[in-house]
Each structure stands twice: as C-alpha cells, then as structure tokens.
Amino acid sequence: MATHTPRPVPPEALSELRVTDDAGRAARPLTDEEGGAPLRCCLRRSRPGERIALVSYAPLRRWAALTGADPGAYDEQGPVFVHALECEGPETEAVPFTGAHRTVRRYAADGRILGGRLVGAPATEADFTAAFDEAFADPEVAAVHVRAVEYGCFLYEIRRTP
C-alpha cells in the first residue's frame, strides 16, 4: 500500500506569501478571535488568539515554476489561511480537514486536470486514502489537490511517491 503524505504550502512559498501574495497584494495579518480557520502552513485549524493571514495562493503556478509544467488555463489562485509568522509546520502526517465534503482533484505532470473525486462527509482518513490510491492507480497522475467543496479552496497537495 502506498503512503500518501499531505503537503502543506512549502516554507519558501510561505515566506513570500507572508509579504506579498500570488495576487500581488500585501499580507494583512489579523488576530483570529474565534479560531477554526484551516491553516495551510501546518495543516490544522487555527486556535483562538493566533495571528493568521488570508493570502492568495497559486499552487499550480508555483509547481510549474519548479517542474517546467504549463498548467495553462488550469493556473488558478485562491484564498488560503496561513500563520502570520513562521510556524513549525504539520505536527503529524495524518490526513487533515476530513470533516466536510472534499474534492480530490488529479493533475498530470504537465499541469492538466485529469479528473477528480468527491469524498463525502463525514469522511474518515480511510476514505481519503482510498481516493488517493484510486487517483495514483492512474500512471498519468503526478499530484492531487484536496479542495474544499463549498468554496473550491486549495487545502493541501499529495504527490506521487517515487
């Protein structure tokens, strides 16, 4: 059985996003009074009182810059919550954000979307593992993005294990 490790927004991207996001806007940190925001830097929910920022992130564009892929029309950016200052990253390799409907979107190495699968709520880690196994059974799939259904926001990425 393959191991699928959720990947947060990479530290080098976070450093840039905390200054200027992928839409060219300055980050605007705020104190999260209520908590519960899905943080893409450490793949957990924010806690009341934490300093966070809502920034625009373009995961395929950044991946393309590293790999030479051309996502073309699939290049998109959207809102993600991150800690306003550097954090320790994920505390665990467990699948995060499983409590709601999610889409597991499949991408080819050149950045094209190859399809996707809805994971319904309430979902377990095993439900997501099955969706990841199904996605990577296709040899063309290089990566998957897990996205929120209600807003379409990027949550995290899983890449094919070499």
Side-chain angles (χ1 to χ4, degrees):
M1 176 189 275
T3 300
H4 307 294
T5 304
R7 299 168 59 108
V9 174
E12 58 278 3
L14 289 166
S15 294
E16 295 170 2
L17 294 169
R18 288 180 177 122
V19 176
T20 305
D21 70 13
D22 286 345
R25 290 186 291 273
R28 295 184 192 157
L30 59 98
T31 300
D32 186 357
E33 299 296 337
E34 296 180 16
L39 297 166
R40 278 41 162 242
C41 50
C42 55
L43 302 181
R44 67 167 174 80
R45 299 260 177 206
S46 63
R47 297 177 183 118
E50 285 189 301
R51 295 286 290 165
I52 64 173
L54 181 61
V55 298
S56 185
Y57 177 56
L60 281 181
R61 184 180 315 154
R62 288 181 175 269
W63 181 49
L66 295 173
T67 64
D70 179 10
Y74 299 111
D75 177 25
E76 59 186 338
Q77 62 189 30
V80 296
F81 287 102
V82 299
H83 275 114
L85 298 174
E86 186 175 336
C87 69
E88 296 296 318
E91 298 169 353
T92 176
E93 291 185 357
V95 175
F97 312 129
T98 58
H101 295 297
R102 302 290 182 227
T103 297
V104 175
R105 192 183 295 170
R106 304 167 187 179
Y107 292 91
D110 64 3
R112 290 175 299 115
I113 292 177
L114 294 175
R117 176 178 169 190
L118 176 67
V119 178
T124 66
E125 188 163 344
D127 295 323
F128 282 90
T129 298
F132 302 150
D133 286 342
E134 177 185 295
F136 289 114
D138 179 345
E140 281 196 71
V141 173
V144 298
H145 288 180
V146 176
R147 293 178 172 265
V149 171
E150 63 272 42
Y151 298 108
C153 299
F154 171 86
L155 292 169
Y156 58 90
E157 176 183 270
I158 296 189
R159 292 189 186 166
R160 180 176 292 284
T161 303

